[in-house]
Amino acid sequence: MEVASSGSCVHGAGSDAVSRCPHQCRPVPPPPPPSPSPSPPPPWPLSPPSPPRRGRITPGRPPIPTTSSPNPTPSDLSQTVDSLSLIPDDDDPHRRNPIPDPASAPANPTPSPAAPPAPRPKLLHLSFNQDHTCFAAGTSHGFRIYNCEPFREIFRRDFGAGGGIGVAEMLFRCNILALVGGGPAPQYAPTKVMIWDDHQSRCIGDLTFRAEVRSVRLRRDRIVVVLEQTVFVYNFADMKPLHQIETIANPKGLCVVSQTAGSLVLVCPGLQKGQVRIEHYASKRTKFIMAHDSRIACFALSQDGKFLATASTKGTLIRVFNAVDGTLLKEMRRGADRAEIYSLAFSSTAQWLAVSSDKGTVHVFGLKVNSRSTGNDASGSASNSSSAVISSNSSLSFIRGVLPKYFSSEWSVAQYHLREGSPYIVAFGHEKNTVVILGMDGSFYRCQFDQVTGGEMTQLEYHNFLESQAS
């Protein structure tokens, strides 16, 4: 109802005739007397109201309502989770900066001191994908994905200072990764495996355990989770458990799987020192190999699951076995001194084997194994296989029983020398006779070796991937 000045109505009826107004208006009461020395009200609004900050939503748990949020917590989380990223809004590089309100700016702004540079993230994890075309780096702030040839950073996901990723396992070149929290401030609990879909920028599933997760291996049809003394195998489609394997203490999370479709071969430590266990799921067979007298330090499986390379904590000998029947095919010597073996890698054709250790040298060995020895005939023994290998070296065959193994073992064809002290992992590149080396100091090397003359490898390129930027 509209009203006019005090004592009259908007329809022209005076104060003495308000009761006769056909619109039944009421007189407006006189305004109250002004208060002494009034202070002018400040302009409103001083600045546009800022929306409440939205925290991370853990998949499978309802968001925690905050008192600062005017909106009630939705009962259906599907819409909220689909619309939110695990990256905080302030850290989203694609977020448009808001235009400041002129009314909120001070008249004489004082220059604020320059913010200190953000601390460099600490590298917590390195791993190649299944075909060695990419690698993942878990840091104290998140994770990053890189391409090997040509080298470039593909993308990164930074969760902030409290977003440590201790395991980042890729699935070939697709958008699915397995993440495990790590470092002093983990992004996720170290007892959880989070399945991350980078197209949606969120986790789409998780597996929770009672002990810390040491490593994760992925296939297109399986998820393998390694704990200190247990290996779990899950179906990828519905994440249902398929198999559980007990192992000896395995703090490094040693485990490898083949990548040939339809034929899963899994290798993990056995229940004894120096023993490896090979699971052939297609034929439902289990094979145990006493590979070394000392504890197993590292092993690798060829992509087709036919060859297995092992190294012990002593680190002087590398042995190659037939993964089907367990026979010893080849024995190679890295050196005479003890060393910690960081990684072993077969080439795609299993013609070469690369080894990295704490001695700062990457070795490449030639593998001239007989493909017929990978059949199902288990009649050969390790000693017979060793004799066959040495008999191929005619210069040593006549004194095989006289010379010690130091002289009869085969030595590397090519080498590349690095800085000692930093752990390195190695893989073969897709260009012929090339090797890719990754260091926990952020170094990326791509080298080439001459398969005829051997000797020191030639460095093709070097990068510090922690200082690179996403393309």
Side-chain angles (χ1 to χ4, degrees), residues 132-411:
H132 303 157
T133 58
C134 300
F135 67 93
T139 72
S140 55
H141 292 179
F143 67 94
R144 306 177 185 183
I145 304 299
Y146 300 85
N147 193 72
C148 291
E149 298 180 33
F151 171 81
R152 64 184 177 91
E153 180 180 325
I154 301 176
F155 68 88
R156 65 174 65 184
R157 299 293 175 255
D158 288 334
F159 301 129
I165 297 297
V167 174
E169 180 76 5
M170 299 180 65
L171 180 60
F172 290 94
R173 298 182 67 93
C174 74
N175 55 299
I176 301 297
L177 296 95
L179 304 177
V180 179
Q187 170 73 5
Y188 310 109
T191 57
K192 278 190 172 185
V193 176
M194 312 300 293
I195 306 301
W196 174 275
D197 182 356
D198 202 70
H199 284 174
Q200 303 183 45
S201 293
R202 68 181 183 95
C203 292
I204 57 176
D206 64 87
L207 296 168
T208 303
F209 303 90
R210 296 181 179 179
E212 290 189 9
V213 177
R214 299 301 183 185
S215 66
V216 182
R217 299 290 180 262
L218 295 182
R219 279 172 50 106
R220 291 187 173 93
D221 56 351
R222 296 291 184 269
I223 303 174
V224 180
V225 182
V226 185
L227 308 185
E228 179 83 22
Q229 293 182 305
T230 313
V231 177
F232 295 93
V233 181
Y234 294 87
N235 187 43
F236 209 131
D238 51 16
M239 301 181 74
K240 289 185 178 180
L242 300 177
H243 195 196
Q244 178 176 333
I245 304 172
E246 302 299 324
T247 69
I248 196 172
N250 185 17
K252 292 183 178 180
L254 300 178
C255 183
V256 289
V257 294
S258 65
Q259 296 299 329
T260 303
S263 177
L264 172 58
V265 180
L266 182 149
V267 181
C268 63
L271 291 172
Q272 302 178 33
K273 180 179 67 174
Q275 185 186 67
V276 291
R277 173 173 179 163
I278 307 176
E279 290 289 337
H280 296 270
Y281 286 93
S283 58
K284 299 181 180 180
R285 293 188 303 110
T286 302
K287 183 67 180 179
F288 291 92
I289 301 176
M290 287 302 302
H292 299 273
D293 296 330
S294 305
R295 286 183 174 270
I296 300 295
C298 188
F299 49 69
L301 189 67
S302 60
Q303 291 188 0
D304 56 8
K306 293 182 179 180
F307 301 105
L308 171 68
T310 65
S312 71
T313 53
K314 191 175 180 180
T316 55
L317 293 176
I318 311 297
R319 290 175 175 149
V320 177
F321 295 89
N322 181 339
V324 177
D325 56 29
T327 56
L328 177 64
L329 302 177
K330 213 170 188 63
E331 183 176 87
M332 298 158 292
R333 181 166 292 276
R334 181 212 54 82
D337 299 331
R338 297 181 68 97
E340 181 180 358
I341 303 299
Y342 290 134
S343 72
L344 301 169
F346 284 95
S347 63
S348 59
T349 59
Q351 182 183 1
W352 306 99
L353 179 72
V355 182
S356 64
S357 70
D358 63 349
K359 295 299 182 181
T361 305
V362 172
H363 296 268
V364 173
F365 295 89
L367 301 180
K368 298 178 182 179
V369 293
N370 190 348
S371 60
R372 292 176 298 177
S373 63
T374 60
N376 295 325
D377 183 10
S379 60
S381 64
S383 59
N384 293 336
S385 302
S386 179
S387 301
V389 169
I390 297 176
S391 64
S392 64
N393 301 326
S394 59
S395 60
L396 296 176
S397 60
F398 70 99
I399 51 173
R400 179 178 60 85
V402 179
L403 288 178
K405 287 186 176 181
Y406 181 84
F407 296 100
S408 61
S409 300
E410 295 191 23
W411 294 74

Side-chain angles (χ1 to χ4, degrees), residues 53-54 56 85-92 158-160:
R53 180 179 176 86
R54 297 180 294 184
R56 300 183 178 93
S85 169
L86 289 178
I87 304 175
D89 290 343
D90 290 346
D91 297 333
D92 188 353
D158 288 334
F159 301 129

